Amino acid sequence: MGLFVKDREFYKSILVIGGPIAAQQVITVGVNMMDTVMLGQLNETALSASAAATQVHSLFQFMSMGLGMGASVLIARYWGAGELPSLRKALTLMYRFCLLISLTFTAVVGLAPAQVLSLLTPYPEVVAEGVRYLRWALPCFLLFGLSTTTTIVLRNLKQMHIPLYVSIGAFFINIFFNWMFIFGKLGSPAMGVAGAALGTLISRCFEFATICGYFFLFEQRARFRPKDILAPCGDLTAEYLRISLPVMVSDTLLGLGNSLSMSVVGHISDVFMSAYTITQVTQQLTTVFTSGLGQSAVIITGNTLGEGNPDKAQRQGVTFTVLGFLLGGICGVIIVLISPLVVGGYNILPETYDIAMELMWSVGTITVFMAPASILTKGVLRGGGDTRFLMVADVVFLWAVSVPLGYFTGLVWQWPPFWVFFCLRMDHVIKATWCVFRLRSRKWIKKIKTAGDTA
């Protein structure tokens, strides 16, 4: 079997689907970068508080993405097979779970913000500032959950341009209001960290109103309306949980792993945490193109299998894997080259600068493995319905390898920052190798039932 599919339409589909997704990710990273740069002009406490509070939202983001991507496996397959009734029932289940998770996060963070942040950092001044952020941004859980899952649905329906345009608008809205409320411009109070949260909240309101407003009121392909959330869907519940639940568990565990990584970093020193916060934006940049390629892999693989062509899906999977390794290598080199510019743009102590530079080199190294691992686990194999296997892989490699190694190297053995970060991301190295063998076995291609089959 050749390494590259000889089909122009395949590569055109990657560009059409993955291009807007990557562009949207660039915008999201840009917003996060501006938040970090603006708060970095205040002091390192504000920077660390924002990072800790944002990590709580990142955990929710992973859960929302897992929920949406789990539904995406079914939606892509049903769309490829022309099974619209089953597709709508999958959407009904997705939105019900989304509302449940969003309201749960809102209640927990609203009632105990300090206790939640104390799990990530032991510094009282950082926790106090982080609580201010969380209180102002509390409605973001519901708004972001609904807009994120709806965005994933629109991508599956080949309407990638709508979320992209909305993200562009949200980008400028977020930057403007952050500038206004963080520094007290145009007559507004100087709110610091709380101002960043308020700017984020305003941009989330815009995203929710435009994306969900369009989908629930005007979208004509799925024709899913708010009343459909109450429609009966019991005949598809078991199949939905079988495919989607492992995806949500995998992504949630990934989010928890990242939160625990932040906790390890936060307990090393406040300087280490500030340096880690600076590199987070670059870490997100490594996922921009990987995310676009991975999500296009889910949709293309699901559509191909929905059409009943597993051999074609296998060939496409090999090509996606090769593209992942190439992409990882290119991104790793770019990260190393731009690291002096990125780290040098912050008003930080020399010690923080040195640690941040070490971490940037580690980010560049691990990206070589992270890109193909992500494209296989979050793209090809997931699109084939192999979600239970992937959940087990995430649990074992993240929680039995990366988390313990990160803890011991960072807090017990006190290794250099390069190796602490590398060990915290060791699961990507293992998964990149493990999933290649899974792809070759063809065991990743699973049959998915429709509503009619389960009736």
Side-chain angles (χ1 to χ4, degrees):
M1 183 181 296
L3 295 179
F4 295 98
V5 170
K6 297 179 180 179
D7 180 5
R8 290 185 179 180
E9 288 301 315
F10 170 70
Y11 298 102
K12 181 179 178 180
S13 295
I14 293 178
L15 292 175
V16 169
I17 298 172
I21 295 174
Q24 188 177 357
Q25 290 290 104
V26 169
I27 294 168
T28 300
V29 172
V31 170
N32 294 336
M33 180 182 293
M34 292 306 299
D35 285 356
T36 305
V37 170
M38 288 182 186
L39 290 172
Q41 302 307 308
L42 299 178
N43 51 63
E44 293 192 11
T45 297
L47 193 63
S48 298
S50 172
T54 303
Q55 193 62 42
V56 178
H57 283 267
S58 294
L59 174 59
F60 176 76
Q61 179 180 351
F62 276 105
M63 293 190 71
S64 298
M65 289 294 294
L67 181 62
M69 292 304 294
S72 179
V73 176
L74 295 167
I75 294 168
R77 191 75 67 92
Y78 293 148
W79 183 258
E83 268 286 336
L84 291 182
S86 298
L87 187 151
R88 293 192 187 98
K89 290 184 178 183
L91 291 178
T92 295
L93 289 163
M94 181 193 74
Y95 281 117
R96 289 179 183 178
F97 281 109
C98 179
L99 290 171
L100 176 63
I101 294 170
S102 300
L103 295 175
T104 300
F105 258 82
T106 302
V108 172
V109 174
L111 293 173
Q115 289 83 345
V116 171
L117 287 172
S118 296
L119 298 174
L120 300 174
T121 175
Y123 305 104
E125 64 277 11
V126 175
V127 171
E129 285 291 280
V131 167
R132 293 179 63 215
Y133 186 104
L134 288 179
R135 284 176 173 165
W136 276 97
L138 194 60
C140 289
F141 291 116
L142 181 60
L143 299 173
F144 181 79
L146 290 171
S147 61
T148 297
T149 50
T150 303
T151 292
I152 294 173
V153 174
L154 289 172
R155 290 171 180 169
N156 276 273
L157 300 178
K158 306 297 193 299
Q159 300 184 62
M160 286 74 65
H161 61 288
I162 296 172
L164 175 59
Y165 296 153
V166 172
S167 291
I168 293 173
F171 172 77
F172 290 106
I173 289 172
N174 188 284
I175 289 178
F176 174 76
F177 284 107
N178 273 9
W179 169 78
M180 180 176 172
F181 291 118
I182 290 175
F183 303 110
K185 304 295 184 179
L186 303 179
S188 67
M191 300 171 64
V193 171
L198 180 55
T200 299
L201 175 59
I202 293 171
S203 68
R204 294 301 186 208
C205 288
F206 170 76
E207 286 178 338
F208 170 77
T210 49
I211 290 178
C212 294
Y214 168 79
F215 181 73
F216 285 115
L217 300 178
F218 304 107
E219 198 279 326
Q220 296 298 316
R221 296 186 182 183
R223 290 180 176 271
F224 191 89
R225 300 296 179 252
K227 62 181 177 61
D228 293 324
I229 296 177
L230 302 176
C233 54
D235 56 340
L236 198 64
T237 301
E239 186 67 2
Y240 180 90
L241 292 175
R242 184 181 73 86
I243 297 296
S244 299
L245 188 59
V247 176
M248 190 176 70
V249 170
S250 293
D251 284 10
T252 301
L253 288 173
L254 181 60
L256 284 172
N258 286 345
S259 297
L260 194 55
S261 297
M262 174 66 77
S263 181
V264 170
V265 168
H267 283 78
I268 294 175
S269 70
D270 55 346
V271 174
F272 198 111
M273 186 171 181
S274 296
Y276 182 83
T277 302
I278 291 170
T279 65
Q280 275 193 306
V281 174
T282 307
Q283 294 177 47
Q284 293 170 352
L285 278 173
T286 65
T287 67
V288 167
F289 300 106
T290 301
S291 178
L293 190 56
Q295 291 192 43
S296 64
V298 171
I299 296 171
I300 292 172
T301 302
N303 290 166
T304 301
L305 291 173
E307 295 165 359
N309 200 335
D311 291 335
K312 181 179 179 182
Q314 177 72 20
R315 292 193 298 273
Q316 292 173 343
V318 172
T319 299
F320 273 121
T321 304
V322 176
L323 292 175
F325 277 104
L326 292 174
L327 181 62
I330 294 171
C331 288
V333 171
I334 292 174
I335 289 167
V336 170
L337 292 177
I338 68 172
S339 58
L341 295 175
V342 173
V343 180
Y346 294 88
N347 181 24
I348 54 178
L349 300 171
E351 182 184 359
T352 308
Y353 178 90
D354 292 339
I355 294 174
M357 286 297 296
E358 275 200 62
L359 292 176
M360 289 287 282
W361 274 82
S362 190
V363 171
T365 303
I366 209 69
T367 298
V368 177
F369 304 96
M370 186 180 70
S374 179
I375 289 167
L376 281 168
T377 59
K378 312 303 178 188
V380 177
L381 303 186
R382 179 175 287 181
D386 199 20
T387 56
R388 188 177 301 176
F389 169 84
L390 296 173
M391 179 184 68
V392 173
D394 280 337
V395 171
V396 173
F397 300 142
L398 176 63
W399 292 94
V401 179
S402 290
V403 170
L405 276 178
Y407 172 82
F408 283 107
T409 57
L411 296 176
V412 180
W413 302 328
Q414 298 181 349
W415 283 13
F418 178 97
W419 291 109
V420 173
F421 182 86
F422 189 89
C423 289
L424 283 170
R425 296 291 186 269
M426 180 66 76
D427 57 307
H428 294 296
V429 179
I430 302 173
K431 284 192 289 189
T433 305
W434 186 270
C435 289
V436 167
F437 287 99
R438 184 67 173 182
L439 178 71
R440 291 183 60 186
S441 73
R442 297 177 67 102
K443 294 179 181 179
W444 60 279
I445 300 176
K446 308 292 185 181
K447 176 178 171 56
I448 293 179
K449 298 178 181 178
T450 65
D453 294 332
T454 58

